[in-house]
Amino acid sequence: MKRRNFLLLGSMLGMTHYLHAKPSSSFERSFKKVEATLRAVQEHMFPQGSKIPSAQSMHTIQFLFDTVSHETYDKDIRKFVIEGAEELQRREKGKFLSMNTQEKEEALRTYEKTRYGSNWLSRIMTLTMEGLFSDPIYGSNKKEAGWKALNAYGGVPRPRTKYIAL
Amino acid sequence: MKQYDVVVIGSGASGGAVAHTLTKAGYKVAVVEKGRLIKREEFTKDELAYCRRDIVTPNLFEEYHVIEEKVDGKWEGTPTYDSGWSFWNGNVVGGSSNFMSGMLHRMHPDDFRLKSKYGAIKGANVVDWPISYDEMEPYYLKAEELVGISGKYEKHPYEPPRSTADFTQPPTQENAVVKLLDKSCAELNIKSLVTPRSVLSQNKGHRKACYYSNFCGSYGCSSGAKGSSREALLMPALASGNLTLLSNTYVKSLHTSKKEAVDYAVVVDVLTGKEKQLYADLFVVAAQAHESARLLLNSASEFHPNGLANSSGELGKNLIFSAGGSGQGELHADKLKEIRFEELMQTGLFVNRSILDWYFIDHWWDGTFKGGSVEFMFEHQNIISRARKNSEENGQLVWGKALGEKLTERFTKQKSIRFEIFNDWLPNDNCFVSLDKTHKDKYGMPVGRLRVEAHPQDLKVGKYIAEKCEKVLEEMGAQNIYSSVSSSPPQNLIAGGCRFGDDPKTSVLNRYCQAHDVPNLFVADASFMPTGGSVPYTWTIYANAFRVADHIVKVLKEKQI
Ligand SMILES: Cc1cc2nc3c(=O)[nH]c(=O)nc-3n(C[C@H](O)[C@H](O)[C@H](O)COP(=O)(O)OP(=O)(O)OC[C@H]3O[C@@H](n4cnc5c(N)ncnc54)[C@H](O)[C@@H]3O)c2cc1C
Ligand code: SF4
């Protein structure tokens, strides 16, 4: 399977490979442009009042940014995360952010019907869950709230540095 | 010129066993390992780092394989950086053995003579081994005692014979689910056996007993209980003062300036990029089967135009994997029999059960053929991957409050039990390693091109056993049972590529895993295996490497080279 297809078909395993290329400041600029959309998608997927912690309270957007901007993160997926959000904004003619929950649900489910959208949403789901259920050291499993909700805890010894200080 | 008596390439299970024996016998050995050293105290249970970011394997854009599969009747090669399907298993000091689950079995005596037992199979290149189980038995025992394999011997018609009454390390602690599993097997007239495991149940020298961390397979061990090459073999070898451990050192090729001998290894310091030569009397390749064949192919010279030690043309051929598949079912709190739900949910303890009843099938209706073995275990306890796996339904993502409901239900009201099937991967003409003509790794060396076709018989056997395992899960009261048997190879159980045999025309290595063509060259990993048995390979890898090492000591002592 070719790489592009692999990305588009989405990897359930969330397998990532890394390419040592520091993301540029232009990445940060493009991230800023879609940050609100990404945040809204995460908050729709992981709302408040659920049995698992919400994206908002766990600040999963920060985890997402830290992860995809890390120099070891797959550069193609980094780009895909941004482009998929831009595509969502475009499809919804810039109105996604102002939609109510029901409208957002419809917009995302329609997006999911496209193969591209489905894979992008899968990727966002993976990136959010990685935050909620990884070691608190990564920032989005605050006070082990993600683990507590599932009554499943990471093993010991716990990491003392992220990615064991590559 | 000579710097060492012996240079060993690769620090994993096989390299460690060779280094241990030779250094204890007083020889100066260099173990060359391309990966870095991660010490016991540095390993953690960081799921993100170890299981989702490949920090212990190479960056796939820099080092990779090309995998050939048949698409619409044509062989199509895809680099692993494209597919995401990695054939690296742990490239740090100690190799993949750091990360194994450690379920180990000896091969059965009849596995050494499969062709004599079952005759030729159309489309498969089955041959008998040049040695018998009896020659391997003392080394299975050595591995058991030295590496530290815990277990409990129980009589069974297909359990290989052993020269001591029982294991020196008793079995690891077990989850109460084994009561339910054993009872269910008994109901079905199946014998469940305790799994031998390369995990210490009791302290052993510098290594501490297992503390049941709940995250074993795919993780390094923080107590030294897991029988990795690093803990069990390299550390004592280092203590002998005879071992030089060259980590972060990649071997590009082996150099020959005459036909009969390797004179040096060409290596690169991974951190500085500096190239140098390592001279020794004898060279042992232990880079894991597919990479060992690749290294020899990359070591072609005017004396060995088709690859080092390849006068037979067999180098890289008959690569094998462990065939089989897996399945699982859910044990729900409200339907649980025999044990309490709290007992089932206790974390860390092993399931520790295997079934050998279907190792050889001889049935009036089903026929007579080689079967396989089965391991039972809980679903891997990784939290992110379990959560992610349970966030889809009918091809759609589940999100919102429904996701919260689904995940909490899945994690707190049930636990999944799994089985894994291991059966022979029949060696065949469409499963081999060669060198890719265009793709090179970051050191400029052609990457391995792996063609990975399975024989149809492998699937038939896997499915036959899966059906029986599903019945066990049903009897246990499990729900949503499914199994999957496929012809995709597991990347972590690889053998073959440098067959051993008595005839230099049809094999690469002799019975001591010494190259027929080059007497100071040995291959110590699973490459030698002409057939793989129906169990995971690693006990055999350890045992055989100890056997080979004993022979190397003899060769060095008697100055045969
Ligand atoms: C997650 C996991 C679970 C497993 N579970 C089990 C199990 O339950 N039971 C079982 O029997 N087996 C299991 N295994 C398999 C087991 O780990 C391997 O069979 C065994 O470690 C192979 O030993 P080896 O010496 O051939 O290779 P390895 O242990 O992989 O060592 C090879 C070493 O050589 C190094 N190397 C390669 N090329 C070069 C080069 N050119 N220059 C320098 N160094 C090089 C590599 O970096 C590596 O460190 C498991 C493996 C994994 C990954
Ligand atoms: S402590 Fe036990 S369970 Fe944990 S990694 Fe070591 S051997 Fe495996």
Side-chain angles (χ1 to χ4, degrees), chain A residues 15-163:
Chain A
M15 274 189 290
T16 50
H17 339 292
Y18 35 95
L19 187 63
H20 291 280
K22 265 221 153 64
S24 57
S25 56
S26 78
F27 168 75
E28 209 168 324
R29 277 200 302 281
S30 41
F31 185 87
K32 284 269 171 282
K33 285 193 196 135
V34 293
E35 181 175 345
T37 304
L38 283 168
R39 188 196 300 263
V41 172
Q42 286 189 313
E43 286 173 6
H44 185 83
M45 286 177 163
F46 296 86
Q48 280 172 331
S50 167
K51 285 189 171 166
I52 51 176
S54 67
Q56 192 185 30
S57 63
M58 295 292 117
H59 207 36
T60 56
I61 190 71
Q62 186 64 39
F63 172 86
L64 189 147
F65 175 77
D66 290 348
T67 301
V68 300
S69 61
H70 197 266
E71 64 182 292
T72 58
Y73 201 71
D74 186 307
K75 68 171 188 349
D76 290 342
I77 303 180
R78 184 183 292 145
K79 217 163 123 204
F80 180 49
V81 166
I82 304 288
E83 285 173 0
E86 288 167 354
E87 174 61 17
L88 176 62
Q89 289 173 334
R90 212 166 19 244
R91 287 168 64 91
E92 300 306 328
K93 309 197 169 47
K95 298 207 181 82
F96 182 75
L97 288 174
S98 54
M99 288 177 173
N100 65 28
T101 308
Q102 190 49 41
E103 289 164 339
K104 279 188 182 133
E105 177 70 14
E106 272 164 37
L108 293 180
R109 289 297 175 196
T110 326
Y111 194 22
E112 196 186 17
K113 290 209 172 74
T114 69
R115 181 177 256 204
Y116 182 87
S118 158
N119 288 307
W120 182 77
L121 288 161
S122 269
R123 182 60 62 184
I124 302 305
M125 173 70 87
T126 300
L127 279 163
T128 314
M129 280 195 172
E130 283 185 348
L132 290 176
F133 302 123
S134 58
D135 193 275
I137 200 172
Y138 291 97
S140 274
N141 180 9
K142 293 181 196 298
K143 297 196 176 139
E144 301 182 10
W147 288 350
K148 279 185 189 140
L150 301 182
N151 196 25
Y153 296 85
V156 287
R158 296 275 172 76
R160 292 168 293 267
T161 58
K162 296 182 185 180
Y163 307 126

Side-chain angles (χ1 to χ4, degrees), chain B residues 40 144-151 166-173 197-212 221 223-227 350:
Chain B
R40 184 197 294 181
E144 184 179 305
E145 293 181 350
L146 206 58
V147 174
I149 301 172
S150 55
D166 211 341
F167 293 78
T168 45
Q169 289 261 335
T172 51
Q173 290 178 41
R197 195 175 283 277
S198 60
V199 169
L200 300 180
S201 53
Q202 298 173 343
N203 293 348
K204 183 179 188 326
H206 66 286
R207 297 161 59 198
K208 299 230 162 52
C210 175
Y211 62 95
Y212 304 97
C221 178
S223 70
K226 197 189 284 189
F350 292 102

Side-chain angles (χ1 to χ4, degrees), chain B residues 515-528:
Chain B
H516 286 297
D517 301 347
V518 189
N520 78 338
L521 173 67
F522 287 74
V523 180
D525 57 29
S527 306
F528 76 100

